[in-house]
Amino acid sequence: MKDPNYSVRKAIFARLNGNVTYNAVNVAIYNRVADAATYPYILLVSDQATETDPNRDDYNNDTLVNIEVVTRFDSDDGGQKVANLIMNDITVLMRTRTTGYLDLSADGFNCYGTISEGINHLEESLSDHYYFRSILTLRFKVNQV
């Protein structure tokens, strides 16, 4: 059985890259945030891959990925709205019902389902800025072909 995490993140990046904007500017997407990152940005983090639906012929996985929107403002001049608007674009692009699943075929996988595990919203006030984060957890049903 192969680990599908990288393949799933790569396909998410391909789907979102250049398709999520704020104020007519593409929102940067990272797997690891660069020191010189500008805000807002999107962070992709693999959470886990768990074998599921075991049978004698297929390797099936539930692959969890967190898609995080991070915004930053000076003191009290911003709010959750920017993170919410960007997350709206992401959910439209990522959440499908019966078609439009991630294409993982180049890496020997098939995605046959996408399930939202929910969106968490976090706020943090630090000495330098005020941060708003929206974190969408998606479960991808993947089998090795």
Side-chain angles (χ1 to χ4, degrees), residues 3-22:
D3 178 6
N5 279 318
Y6 171 72
S7 300
V8 170
R9 277 195 330 274
K10 181 173 72 170
I12 294 169
F13 181 89
R15 182 161 298 175
L16 297 180
N17 191 34
N19 293 313
V20 179
T21 62
Y22 180 71

Side-chain angles (χ1 to χ4, degrees), residues 82-140:
V82 174
N84 294 148
L85 292 173
I86 294 169
M87 187 56 75
N88 285 341
D89 289 347
I90 291 169
T91 56
V92 167
L93 291 166
M94 295 305 307
R95 183 64 182 99
T96 59
R97 285 281 182 218
T98 58
T99 62
Y101 297 122
L102 297 177
D103 182 4
L104 309 175
S105 58
D107 294 332
F109 295 104
N110 174 52
C111 181
Y112 60 93
T114 304
I115 301 162
S116 172
E117 297 286 320
I119 300 173
N120 291 311
H121 301 284
L122 306 170
E123 304 178 17
E124 189 171 16
S125 178
L126 299 178
S127 60
D128 62 341
H129 292 92
Y130 208 80
Y131 296 85
F132 293 92
R133 297 166 42 214
S134 292
I135 305 167
L136 168 63
T137 302
L138 291 175
R139 178 180 303 275
F140 298 93

